[in-house]
Amino acid sequence: MNKPDYDELIERLRGVADDYGGQLTEQAEADGYPLYHLDLPGPEGAPHFLLSAGIHGEEPGSTTGFLHWCERDLAKWLHIFHIEAFPCLNPWGFERGNRYDASGRDLNRCFREETPPPAVRMVREVTAGRRYAMAVDMHEDCDYYGFYVYERLEHGPNVAPALLQRIALEGPLSYGEEGDDPPIEQGLVHMPLPPGKSLIALAAGRPQWPLAFYLYHVADHVITVETPGRQPLDVRVRMQRAAAETALHFTQRRLGL
Ligand SMILES: [Zn+2]
């Protein structure tokens, strides 16, 4: 895709679903666009792995990276994992290069709302009662030249070291910028969990939840990846693909599959 085109995205994802015996299902509508969930069942009893992209419309590398990962890398995982995805959570913003939805809301702050926007409600409804071995939320940071990742775990092992080693083959890691809060150290956002505190307890103390905070309740392991918007799109797409691949390899090993 040269420029973000939601119809083309959905058409290509439908091709992916058809090729691999999965389903692309319309689950909601927002700002005049249908919202989709992609479901690619693996073997009976396979652990579920969740990817989400495009909640911020001005981060096209996340949705485009996800699409390219589907078309090039996905097939080999379907004998191991049950893959689920929300490929583009803010299509209105995606087509306009706008972070927010048509009402000016940052959807990635709405996951604790009682009457949330349709995309948020869809994620909560589809994932309710399910358990994911890992969830990867794909983002970009438009102001950065280097990649970084958020990973907060109550107990290890962390995927970040392997992930950052792999990403560095595609482009620069972020070494942080002045005023970063929390600081970024060699691509890792430094955000240690207070001793004895659970991720659920951490989330409970926050009035607004990004998707990651919601995912703490349904996934054993959650990461948020941020590709650098100041690099060319093809570099960011390769980084997103590499991040998904490393997360899957790591989870496969962690579960002894
Ligand atoms: Zn974002």
Side-chain angles (χ1 to χ4, degrees), residues 49 76-77 81 244-254:
F49 192 101
K76 63 179 174 294
W77 295 108
F81 289 106
E245 286 292 285
T246 311
L248 281 151
H249 278 294
F250 177 88
T251 306
Q252 179 189 16
R253 271 198 309 275
R254 181 169 66 78

Side-chain angles (χ1 to χ4, degrees), residues 54-59 62 99 106 108-109 137-142 224-226:
I55 197 165
H56 288 140
E58 92 287 30
E59 303 173 6
S62 68
R99 180 176 187 82
D106 184 338
N108 204 33
R109 298 290 178 274
D137 193 24
M138 304 164 96
H139 285 255
E140 301 205 273
D141 191 322
C142 304
T224 302
V225 302
E226 302 268 359

Side-chain angles (χ1 to χ4, degrees), residues 160-170 173:
L163 183 82
L164 293 167
Q165 202 173 28
R166 174 66 187 83
I167 294 291
L169 301 176
E170 305 294 347
L173 302 179

Side-chain angles (χ1 to χ4, degrees), residues 9-30:
L9 170 75
I10 296 309
E11 198 184 300
R12 286 168 66 175
L13 287 173
R14 212 173 279 297
V16 168
D18 290 347
D19 285 351
Y20 301 122
Q23 282 192 311
L24 184 69
T25 314
E26 182 180 338
Q27 295 282 353
E29 195 190 296

